[in-house]
Amino acid sequence: SLSSCPSYSRGALETLHKYRLPALMSASSARRLTRASSGLHPEAYAALTPAVAASCASMLVARALLAPAAPVGGHFAYSSVDSALDGRALAAISLGAGLGGALIGHLFLAAVAAVRRPLWPQAPAGEACEAAVERRWACGPEARQVLVKGGVGAAVGLLSLLFPQTLFWGEGSLQHVLDGQRTPLSDVWPGLPPALTARALVDVSSPFPAPAAAVAVGGAKLLAIALACAGGFPGGVIFPLFFAAAAVAHGFAGVVPAALMPAWVMSLMAATQASVTRTPLATVFMLGLSAAASAQLSVLLPPVIIASYVGVWASRALSTATFFPYKRVD
């Protein structure tokens, strides 16, 4: 109930003040004192334990049985931040990335909606359709399906001739933009041959030559994702959004000091993805667990956590639209 909010907040603030913990940990500590099912829908609470058990079991099977000798940990490298991130920098990066990520996410959702409307005229409510009710826009004659998907595929392919960085979903090539293209595109999966990168407007084998080049790559990736989503192609948006946001983040190289760039890049990635999917906590875990062992997570995660939640709150203020069709359960 709303009457419990002041006590939760007071407990979180006291924990934060006493132990100097990140805000999310403080809130979690205060929240942990309540019943495990507090604030959860009964069906969600019933499914929580099996979901956690299945996740733990899959991790143990994958690591202990299928790849027992493989080292545990992520592989995305972030350069050292050391003591460059002070209190003022923390506030500027977390708030700036949160607001910037919300704006990027809002523009992405608006682009998907704008492209989707002319491609898929919404079917009447009573028309039979194989798709779910909330996906009636994907209904229509088979010929339209072929023409739309073929046209969208051709548009994304033509875009990749000018920006080969946009090819594929972005997870395998994410390191390429994390460090501002200091890692050549040929050194990351799948290792594109020169024939596919010869027409690139931004050289894929050298660092971004200017902030505008980084923004162009990020914008092209966002356009490719928006076209694919509007065209009804299956697939996720998480790592594609990470890729686009990391590229856009390097467009602020003239404003953000080089020593703080890793924190800024990770924070903008988190805020952008969280603002689209409304999953701030999961976003923090994904970025934290996918980072290499050398990443200074105790320094990087505080601004990332704040930026993720600021991104969600700011995106809600901009629009109620989300990528996933969430429904409120009273």
Side-chain angles (χ1 to χ4, degrees), residues 188-232:
V188 296
W189 188 93
L192 296 178
L196 291 179
T197 61
R199 296 179 178 85
L201 296 181
V202 178
D203 188 2
V204 300
S205 60
S206 61
F208 288 124
V215 174
V217 171
K221 184 65 174 179
L222 284 174
L223 178 58
I225 309 167
L227 287 171
C229 291

Side-chain angles (χ1 to χ4, degrees), residues 19 30 61 71 88 103 114 123 145 147 156 164 183 188 199 210 230 269 282 290 321:
Y19 297 106
V61 170
R88 292 186 181 89
L103 180 59
Q145 296 273 348
L147 288 174
V156 173
T183 300
V188 296
R199 296 179 178 85
M269 290 165 61
S290 64

